Amino acid sequence: MLSRIGESLYWMTRNLERVDGTARILDINVVYMLEADEDATEEMQWQPLLNIVGADEIYPIRYPDKRVTVQRVIHLLTQGKDNPGSLYNSLRLARENARVVRDRISNAMWEAINEFWLSADKHLKTTLQPWRAAEFYAFVHREVATFFGIAQSTMMRGEAYGFTVLGSLQERADMTARILDVRYHLLLPDVSMVGSPLDYYQWGALLKSLSGFESYRREYHGGIRPIEVVEFVVLNPDFPRSLTYCLDGMERAVKRIGYVEQGTVPQALDALRGHLTGVTATDILDRGLHEYLDRFLELLADLTTALQSDYFEAHLGDEP
């Protein structure tokens, strides 16, 4: 397989997963906005989100007065064409990469992502109001799930499939860590809320944003406890959006693709495995949830660099 084909397959699913993840991270903030303390200003609620998704440098360029409002943040992260990480741009790039590899994916996959793009593009030509945001993000979740469901049922299990799974799971791990970090930044520091009905509701909202509320309730029967949510989202190998599950799948995907002789991907995967192995939720909270997740994201970035070096800058086949 040509390196450029593998790279396009990887970024097709990584960008599509980012579309879903961006919708999820905005979703949880919209929920928090509706339930937040009356004294919480828009800036208090939305500035941390800009920091977490890396849009804090772009925002003042787009809005020189630097005033943070829900409408501005939603627009920048969802529709902003001048924001490389916006939902709009991520979906555009996912479709463009799918177009490049049309002969490596099924017709049904191409039709699904192309129709998704056309519909989303139409919706995003007008201003997305906060009260409509949740409805649009639900549409995004359904369309992304449809694409990946079609991929699961129509793709041959070869190298191409390995690259699509790798891109999807790496981005999913990244976004799961960031969404959990949103919860830490916005809610955890307010100790007065711990154990309150609102605290219970917001941890539940976090699980729902990761499509894990029902699974969590089946796994734990004593209500929603922060330490158990951390254990579930970070360490549970059976929850499809946990960091451990994503790493397990990435390791299998790389084995399917095949290791590069003297490559650096194995070491990058080993570093991630070491970070997740031999720790408990108590250890993570004692160390600092933010610090633990920040280190995980650094190691995940190292894996991206290793993949670029081993596979995408290398010639996996004879270039035409």
Side-chain angles (χ1 to χ4, degrees):
M1 178 183 291
L2 301 178
S3 59
R4 58 183 174 82
I5 297 298
E7 186 173 19
S8 290
L9 288 163
Y10 168 86
W11 283 109
M12 173 187 71
T13 52
R14 180 153 191 184
N15 277 299
L16 193 60
E17 190 74 44
R18 184 172 297 170
V19 168
D20 186 62
T22 300
R24 289 175 184 276
I25 208 169
L26 282 160
D27 245 351
I28 192 174
N29 228 53
V30 169
V31 169
Y32 178 69
M33 178 185 70
L34 297 174
E35 300 293 334
D37 189 294
E38 293 180 358
D39 295 330
T41 65
E42 284 185 287
E43 182 170 3
M44 290 169 59
Q45 295 174 50
W46 292 90
Q47 180 62 50
L49 183 57
L50 292 171
N51 297 337
I52 290 164
V53 300
D56 50 322
E57 295 182 2
I58 298 173
Y59 193 89
I61 297 174
R62 181 70 171 77
Y63 303 105
D65 66 6
K66 301 180 182 179
R67 188 166 60 89
V68 177
T69 70
V70 54
Q71 183 64 72
R72 287 179 171 186
V73 174
I74 286 179
H75 178 82
L76 183 68
L77 300 187
T78 305
Q79 300 169 271
K81 294 183 180 180
D82 52 348
N83 173 18
S86 71
L87 188 154
Y88 174 90
N89 279 326
S90 296
L91 180 54
R92 179 182 58 80
L93 289 171
R95 177 186 178 272
E96 179 60 24
N97 279 290
R99 186 189 62 78
V100 171
V101 295
R102 281 192 64 175
D103 62 336
R104 298 300 182 109
I105 62 177
S106 66
N107 286 335
M109 289 171 66
W110 165 251
E111 290 171 2
I113 197 170
N114 190 49
E115 290 174 8
F116 179 20
W117 160 253
L118 294 174
S119 181
D121 184 44
K122 180 179 178 181
H123 278 92
L124 294 179
K125 287 186 184 298
T126 59
T127 300
L128 183 64
Q129 300 293 342
W131 57 269
R132 286 186 52 238
E135 180 182 345
F136 176 75
Y137 298 141
F139 158 75
V140 169
H141 300 327
R142 289 194 300 270
E143 292 298 311
V144 173
T146 296
F147 177 87
F148 283 120
I150 292 172
Q152 283 287 324
S153 61
T154 61
M155 281 196 82
M156 294 288 289
R157 291 334 194 229
E159 278 183 307
Y161 180 76
F163 279 115
T164 63
V165 170
L166 181 59
S168 172
L169 290 178
Q170 188 175 355
E171 185 63 27
R172 184 181 298 179
D174 183 274
M175 276 297 184
T176 292
R178 292 178 187 277
I179 289 172
L180 188 55
D181 211 15
V182 169
R183 177 62 174 82
Y184 173 85
H185 274 82
L186 298 180
L187 307 176
L188 195 61
D190 188 352
V191 295
S192 66
M193 287 173 46
V194 175
S196 70
L198 183 55
D199 185 53
Y200 180 93
Y201 173 80
Q202 289 165 336
W203 279 109
L206 165 68
L207 291 168
K208 289 177 181 177
S209 76
L210 294 170
S211 301
F213 184 77
E214 293 84 3
S215 298
Y216 175 90
R217 294 297 299 271
R218 296 188 190 102
E219 189 79 9
Y220 302 96
H221 306 292
I224 298 178
R225 300 175 61 224
I227 191 170
E228 291 173 344
V229 174
V230 171
E231 180 179 68
F232 185 69
V233 173
V234 176
L235 301 173
N236 192 302
D238 298 321
F239 175 47
R241 293 190 176 275
S242 78
L243 303 187
T244 296
Y245 179 94
C246 290
L247 179 57
D248 291 345
M250 286 190 287
E251 289 174 334
R252 290 192 296 269
V254 171
K255 288 180 181 179
R256 187 184 298 276
I257 295 166
Y259 292 109
V260 173
E261 187 175 352
Q262 297 183 337
T264 56
V265 167
Q267 293 93 321
L269 288 171
D270 286 346
L272 282 163
R273 177 60 66 189
H275 191 64
L276 292 173
T277 301
V279 296
T280 65
T282 299
D283 296 332
I284 293 171
L285 292 176
D286 287 345
R287 184 186 307 181
L289 180 59
H290 171 68
E291 289 75 14
Y292 183 85
L293 295 172
D294 197 46
R295 179 55 181 160
F296 177 85
L297 290 169
E298 288 177 0
L299 294 174
L300 207 58
D302 291 342
L303 176 61
T304 301
T305 301
L307 290 168
Q308 187 69 30
S309 175
D310 285 10
Y311 298 109
F312 306 145
E313 293 176 358
H315 296 287
L316 303 187
D318 295 325
E319 297 284 0

